[in-house]
């Protein structure tokens, strides 16, 4: 690489890092200010709060990764244009395509980081973030949205009123077993907890009702350790389970849910496709940012930043609208995830063509 490449690539990565370091503390401060009352009320241990803020940082950074990059590229490229450095580069015989090369290299580096975050780190952070929310912040009044009623196979239906991911424990557990259209037995318990060391489930206040043609048989035990045909993830509320699974586990989970006829397949696939669409949006937004901010304008950097903020808002708007359509209806998750990239990809080509001219 030549001096020009190192110069731009260094500015690309350092400005992006500074943008993250600038916005993430603001996001943490706003979020903590909103939640501090409940955290103090629940007397949450400091260690758990710090771990929660770390999970929030990874979750928040991954969610807005392309937008941070977009604004940072506009910022430092506008400074290059205002200092007439870009004019000097192009006047020395460097083509615009050649000038764009270090930006693409930077986008590759950031894209790889985004892939690692999306496939491995962000799911783990999302699990900790959501578990903390359900355990300490949402409280008993909000546990209604944690209810889970799911058919796990052709014969069994399970129910839990709430689930604590950190303790691997669900409350008010029920399992109903059917043979054809007839229920043959029903198991209920005040709580169900997965014991990882022994790979068994421990039920408190266990009751099993065996339904016969004559008289039902009821078996009661204060505590019952047993095995079930379902997995621990089957007890996790649908609201956030897809966010907590690494890529290959999520693929297997979706295949299993498709066999069960789950109504949330669109939501799960949306999360799966986003793991790859975000890195692609890094390239698209980088090209748009360079094409717009590489020209010195009368309004200076402010005009470019205004355009960048508006573009970022439109991108988020498209992403949210189509994401909601896919999760709440039969709209294709694949189209929902990739349509914003398709539209902005066309915009990138048009702007790049005019910038070269």
């Amino acid at each position: 690489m030549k001096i020009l490449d190192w110069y731009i690539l260094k500015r690309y990565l350092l400005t992006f890092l500074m943008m993250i370091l600038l916005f993430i503390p603001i996001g943490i401060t706003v979020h903590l200010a909103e939640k501090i009352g409940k955290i103090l009320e629940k007397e949450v241990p400091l260690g758990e709060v710090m771990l929660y803020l770390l999970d929030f940082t990874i979750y928040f950074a991954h969610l807005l990764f392309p937008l941070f990059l977009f604004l940072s590229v506009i910022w430092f490229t506008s400074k290059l244009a205002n200092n007439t450095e870009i004019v000097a580069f192009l006047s020395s015989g460097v083509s615009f395509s050649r000038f764009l090369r270090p930006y693409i290299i930077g986008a590759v580096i950031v894209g790889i980081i985004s892939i690692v975050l999306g496939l491995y780190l962000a799911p783990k952070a999302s699990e900790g973030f959501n578990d903390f929310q359900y355990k300490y912040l949402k409280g008993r009044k909000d546990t209604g949205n944690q209810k889970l009623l799911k058919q796990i196979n052709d014969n069994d239906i399970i129910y839990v009123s709430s689930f604590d991911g950190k303790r691997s424990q669900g409350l008010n557990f029920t399992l109903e077993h059917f043979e054809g259209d007839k229920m043959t037995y029903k198991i209920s318990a005040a709580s169900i907890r997965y014991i990882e060391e022994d790979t068994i489930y421990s039920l408190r206040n266990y009751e099993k009702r065996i339904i016969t043609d004559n008289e039902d048989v009821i078996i009661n035990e204060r505590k019952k350790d047993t095995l079930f045909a379902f997995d621990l993830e089957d007890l996790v509320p649908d609201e956030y389970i897809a966010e907590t699974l690494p890529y290959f586990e999520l693929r297997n989970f979706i295949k299993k849910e498709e066999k069960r006829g789950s109504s949330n397949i669109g939501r799960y696939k949306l999360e799966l496709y986003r793991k790859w669409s975000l890195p692609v949006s890094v390239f698209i937004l980088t090209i748009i940012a360079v094409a717009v901010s590489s020209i010195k304008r009368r309004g200076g950097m402010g005009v470019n930043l205004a355009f960048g903020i508006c573009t970022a808002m439109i991108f988020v708007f498209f992403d949210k609208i189509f994401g909601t359509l896919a999760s709440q209806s039969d709209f294709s998750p694949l189209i929902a995830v990739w349509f914003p990239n398709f539209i902005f990809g066309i915009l990138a080509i048009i702007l790049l063509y005019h910038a070269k001219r």
Side-chain angles (χ1 to χ4, degrees), residues 118-119 123-124 233 240-250 253 275:
L119 297 187
K124 188 65 178 178
E233 64 216 28
Y240 66 89
I241 183 173
E243 297 178 7
T244 67
L245 298 176
Y247 179 74
F248 293 106
E249 291 183 23
L250 180 56
F253 174 76
K275 294 181 185 298

Side-chain angles (χ1 to χ4, degrees), residues 67 70-71 74 292 302-314:
L67 301 184
F70 183 57
L71 294 177
I74 285 184
V292 168
V303 175
N304 292 336
L305 287 176
F307 174 82
I309 292 172
C310 291
T311 304
M313 291 176 63
I314 295 172

Side-chain angles (χ1 to χ4, degrees), residues 111-344:
I112 292 173
I113 296 173
S114 178
I115 289 174
V116 173
L117 274 175
L119 297 187
Y120 304 105
L121 299 181
K124 188 65 178 178
S126 179
E127 181 179 13
F129 173 77
N130 283 289
D131 286 346
F132 186 94
Q133 291 260 0
Y134 280 103
K135 184 177 181 180
Y136 293 114
L137 302 182
K138 293 197 172 183
R140 293 189 176 273
K141 291 183 179 181
D142 292 321
T143 56
N145 62 5
Q146 289 180 266
K147 291 180 180 178
L148 177 71
L149 179 65
K150 179 184 289 188
Q151 181 173 346
I152 57 174
N153 53 46
D154 294 337
N155 304 103
D156 297 320
I157 297 175
I158 59 172
Y159 167 85
V160 288
S161 64
S162 64
F163 183 80
D164 183 346
K166 286 190 177 297
R167 300 180 61 191
S168 301
Q169 177 174 291
L171 300 179
N172 301 318
F173 168 76
T174 300
L175 182 148
E176 297 177 348
H177 180 81
F178 292 84
E179 296 292 342
D181 296 331
K182 182 180 179 182
M183 183 190 301
T184 57
Y185 67 83
K186 177 180 179 180
I187 295 175
S188 59
S191 68
I192 178 171
R193 185 175 183 181
Y194 181 68
I195 310 299
E196 187 173 1
E197 308 85 66
D198 303 322
T199 63
I200 61 172
Y201 291 91
S202 179
L203 290 84
R204 184 170 56 85
N205 294 337
Y206 168 88
E207 177 182 292
K208 182 175 183 179
R209 179 184 292 270
I210 303 173
I211 301 171
T212 65
D213 294 332
N214 299 320
E215 185 177 355
D216 293 353
V217 178
I218 300 176
I219 302 173
N220 289 297
E221 295 185 36
R222 186 184 182 102
K223 183 181 178 182
K224 175 77 172 180
D225 294 336
T226 186
L227 299 172
F228 286 115
F230 55 83
D231 300 322
L232 177 65
E233 64 216 28
D234 291 322
L235 298 173
V236 179
D238 290 329
E239 280 78 9
Y240 66 89
I241 183 173
E243 297 178 7
T244 67
L245 298 176
Y247 179 74
F248 293 106
E249 291 183 23
L250 180 56
R251 286 185 59 184
N252 294 332
F253 174 76
I254 290 174
K255 289 179 182 178
K256 186 169 61 175
E257 290 299 296
E258 284 178 330
K259 292 179 180 178
R260 295 173 177 173
S262 172
S263 60
N264 296 305
I265 293 298
R267 183 183 303 169
Y268 302 149
K269 287 187 175 181
L270 198 68
E271 190 65 32
L272 181 72
Y273 297 145
R274 273 180 177 158
K275 294 181 185 298
W276 296 109
S277 67
L278 280 178
V280 173
S281 64
V282 167
F283 288 89
I284 294 173
L285 293 177
T286 294
I287 293 173
I288 292 176
V290 175
V292 168
S293 56
S294 60
I295 302 172
K296 188 174 182 178
R297 303 180 188 278
R298 183 175 298 177
M301 191 183 301
V303 175
N304 292 336
L305 287 176
F307 174 82
I309 292 172
C310 291
T311 304
M313 291 176 63
I314 295 172
F315 185 86
V316 172
F317 174 78
F318 271 88
D319 182 64
K320 293 298 181 184
I321 289 294
F322 285 97
T324 302
L325 281 175
S327 60
Q328 302 294 334
S329 67
D330 294 331
F331 192 81
S332 170
L334 187 64
I335 295 176
V337 168
W338 287 101
F339 187 75
N341 280 346
F342 176 75
I343 294 297
F344 280 80

